[in-house]
Amino acid sequence: MKRSNLTLVSYSSSDEEDIAQEMPPKAPPMKKRKLPPLSSSIVTPGPVDNPALHQGRIRTTPHVDGQFAAHVYVSLPLGRHSLLYKVVQAILCDAKEAIPTLHEIWTTEPVSQRPELHISLSRPIFLRAHQREDLKRAVKNIAKAHKAFIVSFAILSELINDEKTRTFLTMEVGAGHHELRSLANSLAPAIEAVRQQAYYVKPRFHASIAWALPNNRPGTSGPLPVASDGTYGPCATEGIRVPPSNPNSPITGTDVFPTIACFPPEVITTLNERYGSELSSPKVGAFTVESITLKIGKDMISWNLTGM
């Protein structure tokens, strides 16, 4: 049988060709389009640290979004007809006559607003949002474990804050110091748990009633006045210049705020001689601490001391 003389022809894979033809060519990558900026009407501006808007005071801790300033204290509301309120007003009147740059801690306007004295149980505390509830629970539990007690004021003194940005005229606590220290010590673990500094090891519990700007504070234009013998000069009222931190502030140029080098020692001595006996009198400077208050941002919560 004669073999047929067929020629084998090799063909390329038609299936592969069909697949290649059916797949569309790759499109070029799309360019990312930038979103238009948000309207200024819906953007909340961050707080501006401008001493010119706050009587020369400066922010000691920079603002951080999502962070809340907190403070634990004992509150003493004062009736405008109470003996303690009248004594405090007389002290302030004499103190401002000697040191005109003093600012009262509380505002006297509107008249309907009831002035308060605060005795701190903590330094300023700075919390993240998720830490607020833990601190609330801790303060509530501390209130349950302590009972009400009597506090009275003893003497007037000058105290300056840690950052040396303000100096204060204060009324220091006499009776009740032990109980206040117990509250502050009970707070320490909760405060240290959020990596904040607890209250002072040797606290001087007090209520501040007035403040002034010291002229040797950080960020001011000049140091304390120094005499020719190398000692500090007299505690006279001077002035510091604080440029606005925000160039777009409505207050422009350089603003001058009156300051003092220190409280003249004779002023504190004279005030204690005039008002010390009244201030320390049980009828005037004594009151019952029945609750403690936690302030977080603008929110304030108080718990009654219910311990037995």
Short mmCIF file of all heavy atoms in Angstrom, two decimals, residues 224-286:
data_model
loop_
_atom_site.label_atom_id
_atom_site.label_comp_id
_atom_site.label_asym_id
_atom_site.label_seq_id
_atom_site.Cartn_x
_atom_site.Cartn_y
_atom_site.Cartn_z
N LEU A 224 14.68 90.00 86.03
CA LEU A 224 14.45 90.80 87.23
C LEU A 224 15.42 91.97 87.27
O LEU A 224 16.57 91.85 86.84
CB LEU A 224 14.67 89.94 88.48
CG LEU A 224 13.55 89.02 88.91
CD1 LEU A 224 14.06 88.06 89.97
CD2 LEU A 224 12.39 89.81 89.47
N PRO A 225 15.01 93.13 87.78
CA PRO A 225 15.94 94.25 87.92
C PRO A 225 17.03 93.91 88.93
O PRO A 225 16.74 93.42 90.02
CB PRO A 225 15.04 95.38 88.43
CG PRO A 225 13.88 94.69 89.07
CD PRO A 225 13.68 93.44 88.30
N VAL A 226 18.29 94.12 88.57
CA VAL A 226 19.41 93.79 89.44
C VAL A 226 20.12 95.06 89.87
O VAL A 226 20.44 95.92 89.05
CB VAL A 226 20.40 92.84 88.72
CG1 VAL A 226 21.56 92.50 89.64
CG2 VAL A 226 19.69 91.57 88.27
N ALA A 227 20.34 95.19 91.17
CA ALA A 227 21.03 96.37 91.69
C ALA A 227 22.53 96.27 91.47
O ALA A 227 23.05 95.23 91.05
CB ALA A 227 20.72 96.51 93.19
N SER A 228 23.25 97.35 91.75
CA SER A 228 24.69 97.40 91.49
C SER A 228 25.48 96.40 92.33
O SER A 228 26.56 95.97 91.94
CB SER A 228 25.21 98.82 91.76
OG SER A 228 24.93 99.20 93.10
N ASP A 229 24.91 96.01 93.48
CA ASP A 229 25.63 95.04 94.32
C ASP A 229 25.31 93.60 93.95
O ASP A 229 25.73 92.66 94.63
CB ASP A 229 25.30 95.27 95.79
CG ASP A 229 23.79 95.11 96.08
OD1 ASP A 229 23.04 94.87 95.11
OD2 ASP A 229 23.42 95.23 97.25
N GLY A 230 24.59 93.41 92.84
CA GLY A 230 24.30 92.07 92.37
C GLY A 230 23.03 91.48 92.94
O GLY A 230 22.64 90.37 92.56
N THR A 231 22.36 92.15 93.84
CA THR A 231 21.11 91.63 94.41
C THR A 231 19.94 92.10 93.56
O THR A 231 20.06 93.05 92.77
CB THR A 231 20.92 92.12 95.85
OG1 THR A 231 20.87 93.55 95.86
CG2 THR A 231 22.08 91.65 96.72
N TYR A 232 18.81 91.44 93.74
CA TYR A 232 17.62 91.85 93.02
C TYR A 232 17.13 93.20 93.52
O TYR A 232 17.20 93.51 94.70
CB TYR A 232 16.52 90.81 93.16
CG TYR A 232 16.81 89.55 92.41
CD1 TYR A 232 16.77 88.31 93.05
CD2 TYR A 232 17.14 89.58 91.07
CE1 TYR A 232 17.05 87.14 92.36
CE2 TYR A 232 17.41 88.42 90.37
CZ TYR A 232 17.37 87.21 91.02
OH TYR A 232 17.64 86.04 90.34
N GLY A 233 16.59 93.96 92.61
CA GLY A 233 16.11 95.29 92.94
C GLY A 233 14.80 95.24 93.71
O GLY A 233 14.33 94.17 94.09
N PRO A 234 14.19 96.39 93.97
CA PRO A 234 12.96 96.45 94.77
C PRO A 234 11.81 95.77 94.06
O PRO A 234 11.80 95.62 92.84
CB PRO A 234 12.72 97.96 94.92
CG PRO A 234 13.40 98.56 93.74
CD PRO A 234 14.61 97.72 93.49
N CYS A 235 10.82 95.36 94.85
CA CYS A 235 9.64 94.68 94.30
C CYS A 235 8.65 95.71 93.77
O CYS A 235 7.53 95.84 94.27
CB CYS A 235 8.99 93.81 95.36
SG CYS A 235 10.06 92.49 95.94
N ALA A 236 9.07 96.49 92.82
CA ALA A 236 8.21 97.54 92.28
C ALA A 236 7.46 97.03 91.07
O ALA A 236 7.88 96.09 90.40
CB ALA A 236 9.07 98.75 91.88
N THR A 237 6.35 97.68 90.77
CA THR A 237 5.57 97.32 89.59
C THR A 237 6.31 97.78 88.35
O THR A 237 6.77 98.91 88.26
CB THR A 237 4.20 98.00 89.65
OG1 THR A 237 3.52 97.53 90.81
CG2 THR A 237 3.38 97.67 88.42
N GLU A 238 6.43 96.89 87.37
CA GLU A 238 7.09 97.23 86.12
C GLU A 238 6.18 96.84 84.97
O GLU A 238 4.98 96.66 85.16
CB GLU A 238 8.43 96.50 86.04
CG GLU A 238 9.38 96.91 87.17
CD GLU A 238 10.78 96.39 86.95
OE1 GLU A 238 10.98 95.64 85.98
OE2 GLU A 238 11.67 96.75 87.73
N GLY A 239 6.75 96.69 83.80
CA GLY A 239 5.94 96.30 82.65
C GLY A 239 6.70 95.37 81.75
O GLY A 239 7.92 95.45 81.64
N ILE A 240 6.01 94.43 81.12
CA ILE A 240 6.62 93.54 80.14
C ILE A 240 5.89 93.71 78.82
O ILE A 240 4.74 94.11 78.78
CB ILE A 240 6.55 92.07 80.58
CG1 ILE A 240 5.10 91.64 80.83
CG2 ILE A 240 7.40 91.81 81.80
CD1 ILE A 240 4.95 90.16 81.02
N ARG A 241 6.60 93.39 77.77
CA ARG A 241 6.03 93.49 76.43
C ARG A 241 5.87 92.09 75.87
O ARG A 241 6.81 91.33 75.82
CB ARG A 241 6.91 94.35 75.52
CG ARG A 241 7.01 95.80 76.02
CD ARG A 241 7.86 96.66 75.09
NE ARG A 241 7.90 98.03 75.56
CZ ARG A 241 6.99 98.95 75.27
NH1 ARG A 241 5.97 98.63 74.50
NH2 ARG A 241 7.07 100.17 75.74
N VAL A 242 4.66 91.77 75.45
CA VAL A 242 4.35 90.44 74.93
C VAL A 242 3.81 90.60 73.52
O VAL A 242 2.69 91.08 73.34
CB VAL A 242 3.33 89.71 75.82
CG1 VAL A 242 3.05 88.32 75.26
CG2 VAL A 242 3.83 89.63 77.25
N PRO A 243 4.58 90.21 72.49
CA PRO A 243 4.04 90.28 71.14
C PRO A 243 2.97 89.23 70.94
O PRO A 243 3.10 88.11 71.45
CB PRO A 243 5.26 90.00 70.25
CG PRO A 243 6.18 89.22 71.13
CD PRO A 243 5.94 89.69 72.53
N PRO A 244 1.89 89.54 70.23
CA PRO A 244 0.85 88.53 69.98
C PRO A 244 1.44 87.34 69.26
O PRO A 244 2.23 87.48 68.32
CB PRO A 244 -0.16 89.27 69.10
CG PRO A 244 0.07 90.72 69.38
CD PRO A 244 1.54 90.84 69.65
N SER A 245 1.08 86.11 69.69
CA SER A 245 1.61 84.91 69.06
C SER A 245 0.99 84.67 67.69
O SER A 245 1.54 83.98 66.86
CB SER A 245 1.35 83.69 69.95
OG SER A 245 -0.02 83.55 70.20
N ASN A 246 -0.18 85.23 67.44
CA ASN A 246 -0.86 85.07 66.16
C ASN A 246 -0.80 86.40 65.40
O ASN A 246 -1.42 87.37 65.81
CB ASN A 246 -2.31 84.64 66.39
CG ASN A 246 -3.07 84.46 65.08
OD1 ASN A 246 -2.47 84.53 64.00
ND2 ASN A 246 -4.37 84.25 65.18
N PRO A 247 -0.06 86.44 64.30
CA PRO A 247 0.05 87.71 63.57
C PRO A 247 -1.28 88.21 63.02
O PRO A 247 -1.44 89.38 62.73
CB PRO A 247 1.03 87.38 62.43
CG PRO A 247 0.95 85.89 62.29
CD PRO A 247 0.69 85.36 63.66
N ASN A 248 -2.28 87.31 62.89
CA ASN A 248 -3.60 87.71 62.39
C ASN A 248 -4.54 88.11 63.50
O ASN A 248 -5.73 88.30 63.28
CB ASN A 248 -4.22 86.55 61.59
CG ASN A 248 -3.39 86.20 60.37
OD1 ASN A 248 -2.86 87.08 59.70
ND2 ASN A 248 -3.26 84.91 60.10
N SER A 249 -4.01 88.18 64.71
CA SER A 249 -4.85 88.55 65.85
C SER A 249 -5.39 89.96 65.69
O SER A 249 -4.72 90.83 65.13
CB SER A 249 -4.03 88.46 67.15
OG SER A 249 -4.73 89.07 68.21
N PRO A 250 -6.62 90.20 66.20
CA PRO A 250 -7.14 91.57 66.13
C PRO A 250 -6.32 92.54 66.97
O PRO A 250 -6.38 93.73 66.76
CB PRO A 250 -8.56 91.43 66.69
CG PRO A 250 -8.55 90.17 67.48
CD PRO A 250 -7.58 89.27 66.77
N ILE A 251 -5.57 92.03 67.95
CA ILE A 251 -4.67 92.88 68.71
C ILE A 251 -3.32 92.86 68.04
O ILE A 251 -2.69 91.81 67.92
CB ILE A 251 -4.55 92.39 70.16
CG1 ILE A 251 -5.92 92.44 70.84
CG2 ILE A 251 -3.55 93.21 70.94
CD1 ILE A 251 -5.91 91.96 72.26
N THR A 252 -2.87 93.97 67.54
CA THR A 252 -1.63 94.01 66.78
C THR A 252 -0.57 94.77 67.54
O THR A 252 -0.82 95.44 68.52
CB THR A 252 -1.86 94.68 65.41
OG1 THR A 252 -2.38 96.00 65.64
CG2 THR A 252 -2.86 93.88 64.59
N GLY A 253 0.66 94.64 67.03
CA GLY A 253 1.77 95.35 67.66
C GLY A 253 2.24 94.62 68.90
O GLY A 253 2.11 93.43 69.04
N THR A 254 2.82 95.36 69.83
CA THR A 254 3.34 94.80 71.06
C THR A 254 2.54 95.34 72.22
O THR A 254 2.39 96.54 72.37
CB THR A 254 4.83 95.16 71.22
OG1 THR A 254 5.54 94.64 70.11
CG2 THR A 254 5.39 94.57 72.49
N ASP A 255 2.03 94.45 73.05
CA ASP A 255 1.17 94.83 74.15
C ASP A 255 1.95 94.83 75.45
O ASP A 255 2.78 93.97 75.70
CB ASP A 255 -0.02 93.87 74.25
CG ASP A 255 -0.87 93.92 73.00
OD1 ASP A 255 -1.76 94.79 72.94
OD2 ASP A 255 -0.63 93.13 72.09
N VAL A 256 1.67 95.79 76.30
CA VAL A 256 2.36 95.95 77.56
C VAL A 256 1.44 95.53 78.69
O VAL A 256 0.30 95.97 78.77
CB VAL A 256 2.83 97.40 77.76
CG1 VAL A 256 3.55 97.54 79.10
CG2 VAL A 256 3.73 97.84 76.63
N PHE A 257 1.95 94.63 79.55
CA PHE A 257 1.18 94.16 80.69
C PHE A 257 1.98 94.44 81.96
O PHE A 257 3.15 94.12 82.04
CB PHE A 257 0.89 92.67 80.57
CG PHE A 257 0.07 92.32 79.37
CD1 PHE A 257 0.68 91.95 78.18
CD2 PHE A 257 -1.31 92.39 79.41
CE1 PHE A 257 -0.07 91.65 77.06
CE2 PHE A 257 -2.07 92.09 78.29
CZ PHE A 257 -1.45 91.72 77.11
N PRO A 258 1.34 95.06 82.95
CA PRO A 258 2.06 95.38 84.18
C PRO A 258 2.45 94.13 84.94
O PRO A 258 1.71 93.15 84.98
CB PRO A 258 1.05 96.22 84.97
CG PRO A 258 -0.28 95.82 84.42
CD PRO A 258 -0.06 95.49 82.98
N THR A 259 3.63 94.14 85.53
CA THR A 259 4.14 93.00 86.29
C THR A 259 4.76 93.48 87.59
O THR A 259 4.94 94.67 87.81
CB THR A 259 5.23 92.26 85.50
OG1 THR A 259 6.36 93.14 85.33
CG2 THR A 259 4.74 91.82 84.13
N ILE A 260 5.09 92.51 88.45
CA ILE A 260 5.82 92.81 89.68
C ILE A 260 7.01 91.88 89.77
O ILE A 260 6.99 90.76 89.24
CB ILE A 260 4.93 92.65 90.93
CG1 ILE A 260 4.39 91.23 91.03
CG2 ILE A 260 3.79 93.66 90.92
CD1 ILE A 260 3.65 90.94 92.33
N ALA A 261 8.06 92.35 90.43
CA ALA A 261 9.21 91.49 90.66
C ALA A 261 8.89 90.45 91.74
O ALA A 261 9.38 89.33 91.70
CB ALA A 261 10.42 92.32 91.08
N CYS A 262 8.07 90.84 92.72
CA CYS A 262 7.63 89.93 93.78
C CYS A 262 6.58 90.65 94.61
O CYS A 262 6.33 91.84 94.42
CB CYS A 262 8.80 89.49 94.66
SG CYS A 262 9.58 90.86 95.54
N PHE A 263 5.96 89.91 95.51
CA PHE A 263 5.09 90.56 96.49
C PHE A 263 5.99 91.21 97.54
O PHE A 263 6.82 90.53 98.15
CB PHE A 263 4.20 89.53 97.18
CG PHE A 263 2.94 89.20 96.44
CD1 PHE A 263 2.97 88.68 95.16
CD2 PHE A 263 1.71 89.40 97.05
CE1 PHE A 263 1.81 88.37 94.49
CE2 PHE A 263 0.54 89.08 96.38
CZ PHE A 263 0.59 88.58 95.09
N PRO A 264 5.86 92.50 97.79
CA PRO A 264 6.64 93.10 98.87
C PRO A 264 6.35 92.37 100.18
O PRO A 264 5.17 92.20 100.55
CB PRO A 264 6.13 94.55 98.92
CG PRO A 264 5.58 94.80 97.54
CD PRO A 264 5.01 93.49 97.10
N PRO A 265 7.37 91.89 100.90
CA PRO A 265 7.14 91.12 102.13
C PRO A 265 6.28 91.86 103.14
O PRO A 265 5.47 91.23 103.85
CB PRO A 265 8.55 90.89 102.66
CG PRO A 265 9.44 91.00 101.47
CD PRO A 265 8.79 92.01 100.58
N GLU A 266 6.42 93.19 103.20
CA GLU A 266 5.64 93.92 104.20
C GLU A 266 4.14 93.89 103.90
O GLU A 266 3.31 94.04 104.80
CB GLU A 266 6.12 95.38 104.28
CG GLU A 266 5.94 96.20 103.02
CD GLU A 266 7.11 96.07 102.05
OE1 GLU A 266 7.95 95.15 102.22
OE2 GLU A 266 7.18 96.89 101.11
N VAL A 267 3.78 93.67 102.62
CA VAL A 267 2.36 93.59 102.27
C VAL A 267 1.74 92.34 102.89
O VAL A 267 0.66 92.40 103.51
CB VAL A 267 2.18 93.59 100.74
CG1 VAL A 267 0.72 93.30 100.37
CG2 VAL A 267 2.60 94.93 100.16
N ILE A 268 2.38 91.19 102.72
CA ILE A 268 1.87 89.95 103.30
C ILE A 268 1.82 90.05 104.82
O ILE A 268 0.83 89.64 105.47
CB ILE A 268 2.74 88.75 102.88
CG1 ILE A 268 2.75 88.60 101.35
CG2 ILE A 268 2.25 87.47 103.54
CD1 ILE A 268 1.41 88.27 100.75
N THR A 269 2.87 90.62 105.41
CA THR A 269 2.90 90.78 106.87
C THR A 269 1.74 91.66 107.36
O THR A 269 1.04 91.32 108.32
CB THR A 269 4.24 91.40 107.31
OG1 THR A 269 5.30 90.53 106.90
CG2 THR A 269 4.29 91.58 108.82
N THR A 270 1.53 92.78 106.67
CA THR A 270 0.46 93.70 107.07
C THR A 270 -0.91 93.06 106.92
O THR A 270 -1.79 93.20 107.78
CB THR A 270 0.53 94.99 106.23
OG1 THR A 270 1.81 95.61 106.44
CG2 THR A 270 -0.57 95.96 106.63
N LEU A 271 -1.12 92.33 105.83
CA LEU A 271 -2.41 91.67 105.61
C LEU A 271 -2.69 90.63 106.71
O LEU A 271 -3.82 90.51 107.18
CB LEU A 271 -2.45 91.01 104.23
CG LEU A 271 -2.49 91.96 103.03
CD1 LEU A 271 -2.40 91.16 101.73
CD2 LEU A 271 -3.76 92.81 103.04
N ASN A 272 -1.67 89.89 107.09
CA ASN A 272 -1.85 88.91 108.16
C ASN A 272 -2.13 89.57 109.50
O ASN A 272 -2.94 89.07 110.30
CB ASN A 272 -0.63 87.99 108.26
CG ASN A 272 -0.69 86.82 107.28
OD1 ASN A 272 -1.71 86.15 107.16
ND2 ASN A 272 0.40 86.60 106.56
N GLU A 273 -1.48 90.72 109.74
CA GLU A 273 -1.73 91.43 110.99
C GLU A 273 -3.16 91.97 111.04
O GLU A 273 -3.80 91.95 112.10
CB GLU A 273 -0.73 92.58 111.14
CG GLU A 273 0.69 92.10 111.44
CD GLU A 273 1.69 93.25 111.45
OE1 GLU A 273 1.29 94.38 111.03
OE2 GLU A 273 2.85 93.04 111.83
N ARG A 274 -3.67 92.42 109.90
CA ARG A 274 -5.02 93.01 109.86
C ARG A 274 -6.11 91.95 109.85
O ARG A 274 -7.17 92.14 110.47
CB ARG A 274 -5.16 93.90 108.63
CG ARG A 274 -4.35 95.18 108.68
CD ARG A 274 -4.55 95.97 107.39
NE ARG A 274 -3.74 97.18 107.38
CZ ARG A 274 -3.63 97.99 106.33
NH1 ARG A 274 -4.29 97.72 105.21
NH2 ARG A 274 -2.87 99.07 106.39
N TYR A 275 -5.90 90.86 109.12
CA TYR A 275 -7.00 89.94 108.86
C TYR A 275 -6.74 88.50 109.35
O TYR A 275 -7.63 87.66 109.23
CB TYR A 275 -7.32 89.91 107.36
CG TYR A 275 -7.66 91.25 106.81
CD1 TYR A 275 -6.75 91.98 106.05
CD2 TYR A 275 -8.91 91.83 107.05
CE1 TYR A 275 -7.07 93.24 105.53
CE2 TYR A 275 -9.24 93.08 106.55
CZ TYR A 275 -8.31 93.78 105.79
OH TYR A 275 -8.63 95.01 105.29
N GLY A 276 -5.55 88.23 109.85
CA GLY A 276 -5.21 86.86 110.24
C GLY A 276 -6.14 86.29 111.29
O GLY A 276 -6.59 85.13 111.18
N SER A 277 -6.47 87.09 112.32
CA SER A 277 -7.33 86.57 113.39
C SER A 277 -8.74 86.29 112.89
O SER A 277 -9.37 85.30 113.28
CB SER A 277 -7.36 87.57 114.56
OG SER A 277 -7.86 88.83 114.13
N GLU A 278 -9.25 87.15 112.02
CA GLU A 278 -10.59 86.91 111.45
C GLU A 278 -10.58 85.69 110.54
O GLU A 278 -11.49 84.86 110.58
CB GLU A 278 -11.04 88.13 110.66
CG GLU A 278 -11.52 89.30 111.48
CD GLU A 278 -12.09 90.39 110.59
OE1 GLU A 278 -11.31 91.25 110.12
OE2 GLU A 278 -13.32 90.37 110.35
N LEU A 279 -9.54 85.60 109.71
CA LEU A 279 -9.47 84.51 108.74
C LEU A 279 -9.42 83.16 109.44
O LEU A 279 -10.04 82.19 108.98
CB LEU A 279 -8.23 84.69 107.86
CG LEU A 279 -8.08 83.77 106.66
CD1 LEU A 279 -9.23 83.98 105.68
CD2 LEU A 279 -6.74 84.01 105.97
N SER A 280 -8.67 83.08 110.55
CA SER A 280 -8.52 81.80 111.25
C SER A 280 -9.65 81.54 112.25
O SER A 280 -9.68 80.47 112.88
CB SER A 280 -7.18 81.77 111.98
OG SER A 280 -7.07 82.84 112.90
N SER A 281 -10.57 82.49 112.39
CA SER A 281 -11.68 82.31 113.33
C SER A 281 -12.62 81.22 112.82
O SER A 281 -12.96 81.19 111.63
CB SER A 281 -12.46 83.62 113.48
OG SER A 281 -13.68 83.40 114.15
N PRO A 282 -13.05 80.29 113.70
CA PRO A 282 -13.99 79.24 113.27
C PRO A 282 -15.28 79.80 112.69
O PRO A 282 -15.92 79.15 111.87
CB PRO A 282 -14.26 78.46 114.57
CG PRO A 282 -13.07 78.73 115.43
CD PRO A 282 -12.65 80.14 115.11
N LYS A 283 -15.67 81.02 113.08
CA LYS A 283 -16.89 81.62 112.58
C LYS A 283 -16.73 82.19 111.17
O LYS A 283 -17.72 82.48 110.51
CB LYS A 283 -17.37 82.72 113.53
CG LYS A 283 -17.80 82.22 114.91
CD LYS A 283 -18.30 83.37 115.76
CE LYS A 283 -18.77 82.90 117.13
NZ LYS A 283 -19.26 84.03 117.97
N VAL A 284 -15.48 82.37 110.76
CA VAL A 284 -15.23 83.01 109.46
C VAL A 284 -14.59 82.03 108.47
O VAL A 284 -15.14 81.76 107.38
CB VAL A 284 -14.34 84.25 109.62
CG1 VAL A 284 -14.04 84.88 108.24
CG2 VAL A 284 -14.98 85.26 110.53
N GLY A 285 -13.41 81.51 108.82
CA GLY A 285 -12.62 80.75 107.85
C GLY A 285 -12.80 79.26 107.90
O GLY A 285 -12.04 78.53 107.24
N ALA A 286 -13.76 78.74 108.64
CA ALA A 286 -13.97 77.30 108.72
C ALA A 286 -15.18 76.89 107.89
O ALA A 286 -16.18 77.61 107.84
CB ALA A 286 -14.16 76.86 110.17
#
